[in-house]
Amino acid sequence: MDCDVKDLGLAEKGRERIEWAAGEMGVLALVRERFEKERPLEGIRIGACMHVTTETANLVDALKAGGAEVALCASNPLSTQDDVAAAICDQSGIDVYAIKGEDNETYYRHINAVLDHRPNVTMDDGADLVSLLHRERQDQLQEVIGGTEETTTGIIRLRAMANDGALKYPIVSVNDADTKHLFDNRFGTGQSTIDAIMRATNLLLAGRTVVVCGYGMCGRGVASRARGMGAKVVVTEVDPIRALEAAMEGYGVMPLRDAARIGDVFVTVTGDRGVIGREHLEVMRDGAVMANAGHFDVEIDKAALEGLASGKRRIREFVDEYRLADGRRLHLLAEGRLVNLAAAEGHPAAVMDMSFANQALSVEWVVKNRGLLSPGVYPVPAEIDGEVATLKLRAMRIEIDELTAEQQEYLRSWQQGT
Ligand code: ADE
């Protein structure tokens, strides 16, 4: 295999953890079973740029069972689980290029290594692979049938490309499936972000003030889980409807310039840059902790933090303590990168099960519709979304009611009123 991983000796540990995750991924297992029989991806080369985790290992395994040849690199320099990368390389016949903590140069060398496999389908999480392909390797674009994108930030970038007329092939927005963003973004980010903050700091959240910047699906999840741990939660927003929703949910809502003075823990989940800046750092309490759960490390202004600091030390594995001239200490987790994947294990497998079943089925859909889709961003077909929900309920042994014939008729009629 042509792999660049930290240590192949970690493969056995990775294998066991991948197997453990598989036990939580019943929907993906059913997709894999069918793929193995029908081989819908026979002859397809998939270039995947994803977080290299136990859940992703199960996804690439399902794609391979469907007949695809897969090459995989990391979608974030800090999110790779090195034992998993080793196990995928060692057992799966999949070329993996991912090392936790890789520098920027290595990160892009790894994406280029995946592109060297000349993929017909791209699978991206954040759109770095698609962006590089369109900027630097345009000669390969005509070989690509289509792609999928996992996350909100990636979709925003792809829509910007489409608006500029720059996007050259069809890409399915997996993030927009209901069975993805209503669950992964909310319950996945909610749990894994709190998990990461606790693993990194071992702080007691009860009674503390947690400031959540951004109240999209991910922010909703983080706020709700922080409240569940007994924190007083303050939400900051720029969108009046989301702010209103947070207020009626019972959270404090205020501008960050005010929240900055009272927060103990800050979590950014906005998808935008410079959310926590110098003016906020200048008024934060001694001991404040900052974590980012948005895709890129641009939400907390690290340059401003460095500029204000007179000293810096790594006080725990994922905690950098910045000492300011006035004696205050501010703490940044995981260098401002996606905290839930850097300092914990990302979303639990049971929720990635739905996201990755959508991924696998969307790849199949793209391949089936080869030549029929013009360049652009496409939603996950409603049948796929519905199938994933039905299978997940079955995996969870939950039954639901059905409409009677009379109820269906009532919903179709307009004559009956008061
Ligand atoms: N994104 C968030 N959590 C993840 C996980 N566990 N695996 C892959 N991608 C993720």
Side-chain angles (χ1 to χ4, degrees):
M1 301 306 306
D2 177 29
C3 293
D4 190 14
V5 301
K6 182 166 182 212
D7 176 6
L8 281 175
L10 299 170
E12 181 53 29
K13 180 178 165 222
R15 256 193 295 280
E16 287 165 357
R17 295 203 315 110
I18 292 167
E19 186 186 330
W20 174 259
E24 295 282 299
M25 302 182 84
V27 180
L28 188 64
L30 290 172
V31 173
R32 186 197 186 285
E33 222 173 278
R34 180 171 67 73
F35 273 17
E36 203 165 21
K37 283 194 211 110
E38 298 177 6
R39 306 278 289 177
L41 308 179
E42 196 72 66
I44 297 294
R45 289 190 304 276
I46 299 177
C49 180
M50 308 285 283
H51 301 298
V52 179
T53 65
T54 54
E55 293 74 27
T56 301
N58 282 291
L59 170 62
V60 293
D61 179 58
L63 299 170
K64 193 170 166 247
E69 197 186 296
V70 186
L72 172 67
C73 64
S75 58
N76 183 298
L78 264 192
S79 63
T80 297
Q81 298 172 2
D82 288 317
D83 57 339
V84 171
I88 300 174
C89 175
D90 192 48
Q91 78 181 15
S92 308
I94 287 170
D95 291 326
V96 186
Y97 310 93
I99 299 173
K100 186 169 178 128
E102 62 196 17
D103 60 20
N104 218 42
E105 188 273 318
T106 311
Y107 177 74
Y108 279 101
R109 182 161 47 77
H110 285 166
I111 296 182
N112 271 307
V114 164
L115 291 173
D116 288 343
H117 287 256
R118 305 198 81 87
N120 324 110
V121 171
T122 61
M123 178 177 280
D124 221 342
D125 187 334
D128 277 347
L129 182 132
V130 171
S131 168
L132 185 69
L133 176 61
H134 281 73
R135 283 182 289 112
E136 293 179 15
R137 302 189 58 154
Q138 291 152 357
D139 57 307
Q140 285 181 233
L141 283 168
Q142 81 285 353
E143 297 167 19
V144 182
I145 302 168
T148 60
E149 169 53 53
E150 169 77 3
T151 200
T152 317
T153 292
I155 297 303
I156 291 169
R157 293 178 85 189
L158 294 177
R159 293 225 160 91
M161 285 176 78
N163 286 340
D164 278 352
L167 184 62
K168 297 299 179 208
Y169 59 86
I171 299 194
V172 179
S173 161
V174 169
N175 184 67
D176 292 337
D178 284 344
T179 47
K180 201 280 186 182
H181 68 271
L182 294 179
F183 301 91
D184 166 317
N185 301 30
R186 186 164 36 160
F187 304 114
T189 309
Q191 179 168 320
S192 61
T193 301
I194 299 298
D195 178 20
I197 293 170
M198 291 189 336
R199 286 194 205 195
T201 64
N202 198 26
L203 279 185
L204 180 73
L205 290 184
R208 286 230 159 80
T209 298
V210 173
V211 178
V212 180
C213 305
Y215 199 66
M217 274 300 154
C218 296
R220 287 178 173 99
V222 174
S224 122
R225 270 39 189 164
R227 176 154 73 183
M229 295 298 291
K232 289 171 270 184
V233 176
V234 170
V235 168
T236 71
E237 247 303 338
V238 292
D239 178 306
I241 298 175
R242 287 182 175 177
L244 203 51
E245 194 184 341
M248 292 209 186
E249 195 56 58
Y251 300 123
V253 177
M254 62 187 75
L256 185 53
R257 65 170 180 275
D258 298 331
R261 296 178 182 278
I262 60 171
D264 298 301
V265 176
F266 295 81
V267 183
T268 52
V269 251
T270 69
D272 212 341
R273 65 187 303 171
V275 176
I276 295 183
R278 190 185 172 100
E279 59 165 320
H280 310 113
L281 300 167
E282 276 172 344
V283 298
M284 278 183 189
R285 289 176 172 172
D286 177 39
V289 167
M290 290 170 276
N292 168 52
H295 187 80
F296 287 120
D297 61 340
V298 295
E299 306 207 12
I300 300 167
D301 187 343
K302 273 191 283 185
L305 191 52
E306 301 274 352
L308 284 171
S310 55
K312 173 184 170 185
R313 63 174 171 155
R314 180 144 298 178
I315 188 161
R316 284 170 66 99
E317 191 180 0
F318 292 105
V319 187
D320 286 335
E321 179 190 270
Y322 290 81
R323 191 170 279 279
L324 308 192
D326 59 12
R328 281 179 305 130
R329 292 153 307 155
L330 300 182
H331 299 115
L332 179 65
L333 305 192
E335 300 166 16
R337 295 198 187 273
L338 257 182
V339 74
N340 57 336
L341 279 139
E345 293 172 68
H347 304 351
V351 81
M352 293 313 294
D353 186 26
M354 288 191 280
S355 310
F356 284 173
N358 275 297
Q359 281 283 3
L361 295 171
S362 296
V363 169
E364 182 186 31
W365 182 79
V366 162
V367 171
K368 260 193 198 145
N369 286 281
R370 172 185 213 145
L372 301 175
L373 307 167
S374 40
V377 180
Y378 288 77
V380 172
E383 314 79 70
I384 292 181
D385 214 353
E387 183 187 346
V388 172
T390 304
L391 294 177
K392 189 67 184 175
L393 283 171
R394 198 175 302 156
M396 294 171 77
R397 298 194 188 84
I398 295 171
E399 291 182 31
I400 59 172
D401 294 323
E402 280 176 29
L403 293 174
T404 64
E406 294 77 40
Q407 286 174 325
Q408 288 181 34
E409 176 54 30
Y410 180 78
L411 292 178
R412 276 195 299 272
S413 70
W414 52 271
Q415 295 91 342
Q416 295 178 55
T418 310

